[in-house]
Amino acid sequence: MQLPALRLAPLFLALVCSTAPAQPGPQMNLPRVELTAGMYRIDAQVAASDAARQTGLMFRQDMPAQEGMLFVFEQPATQCFWMRNTLLPLTAAFVADDGTIVNLADMKPQTDDSHCSAKPVRYVLEMNQGWFAKRGIKAGSKLGGSLFKR
């Protein structure tokens, strides 16, 4: 009577293996908003839910130069970011409600180093590392867009 059980073992194993959770992938279909930084246009994906903010730019292999991700929080707070499962070197701009960049932080891929806002903010904009520096955009510069209070 053990013979039928042995024949079912591979089938059971195949079924269990096929229902294992898949490796999460990059978020590509979030809503988008157009922002400006001086004369430069930014096409930003908007991560406004807990799930979208937690995944962020993880697993992305590349990102066009003019694109980024804007993290939107319900209220200003000290925001801290890390780069676990994030493959791209990024710069985070911590942004006040009026669009003023409070501080910038360059972040290395696939690290758990914490990068925090210098004061409470509601927005964080991640761009490819060097994007802000190459355009002379630094702390005190203002971003434009419909989300920011005037």
Side-chain angles (χ1 to χ4, degrees):
M1 285 292 164
Q2 292 180 350
L3 188 56
L6 289 177
R7 273 192 228 151
L8 292 177
L11 179 62
F12 178 74
L13 185 59
L15 181 61
V16 169
C17 289
S18 68
T19 58
Q23 174 73 7
Q27 302 186 95
M28 302 300 290
N29 297 316
L30 293 175
R32 292 180 178 267
V33 65
E34 184 172 313
L35 304 175
T36 58
M39 62 184 263
Y40 303 101
R41 187 183 74 75
I42 300 166
D43 179 22
Q45 287 183 287
V46 179
S49 70
D50 284 339
R53 289 190 299 256
Q54 287 173 10
T55 302
L57 288 168
M58 289 180 177
F59 312 110
R60 290 280 302 257
Q61 298 285 332
D62 56 29
M63 185 169 61
Q66 77 285 358
E67 288 188 15
M69 184 170 284
L70 182 68
F71 296 80
V72 180
F73 296 88
E74 289 77 23
Q75 57 192 5
T78 299
Q79 307 297 344
C80 294
F81 281 60
W82 62 359
M83 297 285 283
R84 181 177 295 167
N85 297 320
T86 305
L87 309 174
L88 305 171
L90 299 171
T91 300
F94 298 95
V95 184
D97 281 357
D98 68 353
T100 301
I101 296 174
V102 172
N103 62 298
L104 296 161
D106 286 339
M107 304 184 296
K108 291 182 183 179
Q110 302 190 62
T111 63
D112 288 346
D113 299 340
S114 189
H115 305 275
C116 300
S117 58
K119 66 181 189 180
V121 297
R122 185 187 318 257
Y123 304 104
V124 181
L125 175 63
E126 289 182 342
M127 299 291 289
N128 286 310
Q129 194 168 103
W131 189 91
F132 295 102
K134 287 176 190 169
R135 290 159 181 81
I137 298 165
K138 48 189 145 202
S141 298
K142 273 205 171 187
L143 300 179
S146 59
L147 295 173
F148 304 122
K149 295 178 183 173
R150 304 215 186 272

